[in-house]
Amino acid sequence: MSHQTHHPHAPQAPMGMPPQQAARNGLGIAALTLGIIGILSGLIPLLFWLAGILGVLSLIFGLVGLGRAKRGQATNRGVALTGTILGVLALLASVAGLVITVTAVDKAVKEVNKAMEGSEAKPKDGGAATKEYQGGATAVYGTGLNVTVSKPAAFTPEEFAIGHAKGNKSYKVTVRLENKGTKDVAGDLVTVEARAGKDGKTAERIYDDKSGAGFSGTVTAGKTATADFAFDVPAGAKTLDVEVRPGFDHKASHWQLTL
């Protein structure tokens, strides 16, 4: 008698069933990430352009991710929706950053122009700016500083004066600073130079016990300072052009003096 052993067969998957695909959640995650970075960039006005780019990408990826979730290809609909919303917010932040940046730049330009206007001198009567003043005239700066250069007076240097050449003539001018503004003026930064004659040859400054010390210290608001300056001029020179620059924040003003 023979015995036959029967082995049970393992169940087989039904024929024709497609394998289950993995969820395509990448775009939803990318939209969320880019949206967050875009909003953070929008908080920095100078990075408004980056917020705009990331906002657009976040919006696109989020919408595509929502489409995948609707078709059943993705399982993170909430993430994709959040990324889409963050993309819109990043775009709004980009626009706000652009407005803030443009406003700040415009304000800075106006401040610079205002400062430049204050650095230029105008005649005492408030008229238009002039290139050259006459002796005794006052240059008025927008900062409230008034600068006056006197008419030239003949000057006799001391025996051991520095800057005087034999055969030349010497002239002295008095420079007066009147600070009617609200900011102090550094006297040490005030420079006074001169040129003589038609050729504009540099007139050497004379140093002795009577002139040459210049300004020192600080001319505070409401105060006045005066200093004498003597220059060595060729004997045939008929004019002396004096330039006064009251520090780095003021433009130079010029006086044409007749000798």
Side-chain angles (χ1 to χ4, degrees), residues 1-44:
M1 174 185 282
S2 62
H3 299 278
Q4 295 182 349
T5 304
H6 297 278
H7 300 282
H9 296 282
Q12 298 181 355
M15 300 298 293
M17 292 287 292
Q20 186 176 3
Q21 295 182 350
R24 302 172 65 185
N25 296 333
L27 289 181
I29 296 174
L32 178 64
T33 303
L34 294 178
I36 293 174
I37 299 175
I39 291 179
L40 293 177
S41 300
L43 297 177
I44 305 175

Side-chain angles (χ1 to χ4, degrees), residues 129-249:
T130 181
K131 291 184 179 181
E132 291 182 340
Y133 300 97
Q134 301 299 315
T138 300
V140 180
Y141 287 87
T143 58
L145 178 65
N146 292 0
V147 181
T148 305
V149 176
S150 69
K151 295 180 179 180
F155 177 77
T156 302
E158 295 180 347
E159 182 179 359
F160 299 103
I162 299 174
H164 176 60
K166 187 176 181 179
N168 287 349
K169 292 185 177 181
S170 301
Y171 293 90
K172 180 188 74 172
V173 296
T174 299
V175 179
R176 184 172 182 265
L177 305 178
E178 185 178 7
N179 188 0
K180 293 185 177 181
T182 58
K183 296 183 179 180
D184 295 344
V185 176
D188 297 330
L189 299 181
V190 178
T191 60
V192 180
E193 299 177 350
R195 294 178 296 276
K198 295 182 179 180
D199 296 335
K201 184 178 179 181
T202 299
E204 295 295 334
R205 187 167 156 184
I206 299 174
Y207 295 86
D208 61 12
D209 292 337
K210 296 182 293 184
S211 70
F215 294 99
S216 61
T218 302
V219 184
T220 57
K223 299 297 182 179
T224 300
T226 304
D228 292 331
F229 297 85
F231 296 98
D232 194 53
V233 179
K238 301 297 182 181
T239 59
L240 181 67
D241 297 328
V242 177
E243 176 186 286
V244 180
R245 182 183 296 275
F248 300 113
D249 53 350

